[in-house]
């Protein structure tokens, strides 16, 4: 729990042990990975649904000893046609990164082999954005990363609703351009700044 102000931690404690880690998302994810005892690490955004199909397909992919990471398509619920086109384009960009030999996966729902994650050094906690892309590229230097193009993980359209199509495209374009230019993003989009202030 990253310092949430609602009842998230209280509800979660009914089902599992809750750890606290305030700061950027990379820091929280690293803290979770450190406490995890399993062979695999599953990173799942708070507003994303764990799809059994993804989970089973990921475990199947890990049967190849060369595989160190697995991700799939991300598609929010209840999209209008224009919004669906935008997310299809995002997923196409992810697929293209694999074809280009520089694979990147969204941290919305991704699984990594814990030993490889540790070898890679985990998420870069100094990044305010694109920490998921950065980790995936480093993981790909250790082993094989797989994109499950036929497996869809559902998430909420919270950020899209808050920022709008143009706002979200602008945010993604800015952070992606900086990432591929070798610049570490230090600023949040307005909606992210609002979240960060609550932490």
């Amino acid at each position: 729990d990253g310092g949430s102000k609602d009842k998230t931690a209280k509800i979660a404690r009914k089902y599992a042990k809750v750890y606290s880690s305030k700061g950027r998302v990379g820091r929280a994810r690293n803290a979770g990975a450190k406490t995890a005892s399993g062979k695999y690490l599953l990173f799942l955004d708070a507003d994303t649904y764990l799809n059994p199909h993804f989970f089973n397909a990921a475990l199947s992919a890990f049967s190849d000893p060369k595989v160190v990471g697995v991700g799939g398509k991300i598609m929010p619920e209840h999209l209008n046609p224009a919004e669906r086109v935008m997310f299809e384009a995002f997923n196409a960009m992810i697929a293209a990164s694999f074809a280009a030999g520089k694979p990147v996966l969204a941290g919305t729902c991704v699984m990594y082999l814990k030993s490889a994650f540790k070898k890679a050094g985990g998420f870069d906690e100094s990044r305010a954005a694109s920490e998921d892309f950065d980790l995936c590229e480093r993981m790909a230097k250790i082993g094989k990363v797989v994109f499950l193009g036929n497996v869809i993980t559902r998430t909420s359209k919270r950020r899209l609703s808050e920022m709008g199509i143009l706002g979200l495209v602008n945010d993604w374009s800015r952070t992606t351009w900086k990432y591929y230019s070798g610049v570490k993003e230090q600023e949040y989009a307005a909606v992210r700044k609002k979240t960060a202030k609550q932490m």
Side-chain angles (χ1 to χ4, degrees), residues 12-159:
R13 287 191 185 96
K14 295 179 181 179
Y15 307 98
K17 186 171 182 179
V18 175
Y19 292 87
S20 297
S21 178
K22 294 185 179 182
R24 290 174 174 165
V25 65
R27 182 178 179 183
R29 287 175 172 168
N30 284 340
K34 187 176 181 180
T35 62
S37 59
K39 182 178 180 180
Y40 305 105
L41 299 171
L42 169 67
F43 296 99
L44 187 73
D45 280 2
D47 56 353
T48 302
Y49 306 97
L50 179 56
N51 183 340
H53 184 38
F54 166 81
F55 192 69
N56 293 329
L59 290 180
S60 178
F62 278 118
S63 64
D64 179 348
K66 295 180 180 178
V67 172
V68 297
V70 182
K73 290 181 68 174
I74 305 298
M75 190 65 66
E77 297 181 306
H78 314 301
L79 297 178
N80 63 40
E83 294 169 340
R84 184 170 296 281
V85 167
M86 183 185 73
F87 272 89
E88 288 291 358
F90 169 76
N91 286 300
M93 182 197 79
I94 297 296
S97 74
F98 279 75
K102 291 191 63 131
V104 294
L105 288 172
T108 309
C109 181
V110 65
M111 281 182 73
Y112 286 119
L113 187 66
K114 185 177 181 181
S115 58
F117 176 88
K118 186 175 180 180
K119 186 175 181 180
F123 289 97
D124 182 347
E125 297 180 14
S126 68
R127 291 179 178 272
S130 302
E131 74 291 333
D132 47 1
F133 284 12
D134 170 68
L135 173 62
C136 185
E137 280 208 60
R138 287 185 281 117
M139 292 290 287
K141 294 176 181 178
I142 296 173
K144 183 179 179 182
V145 180
V146 176
F147 176 63
L148 303 171
N150 62 336
V151 178
I152 298 176
T153 296
R154 294 292 179 185
T155 188
S156 78
K157 58 184 292 185
R158 170 184 56 85
R159 188 163 290 161

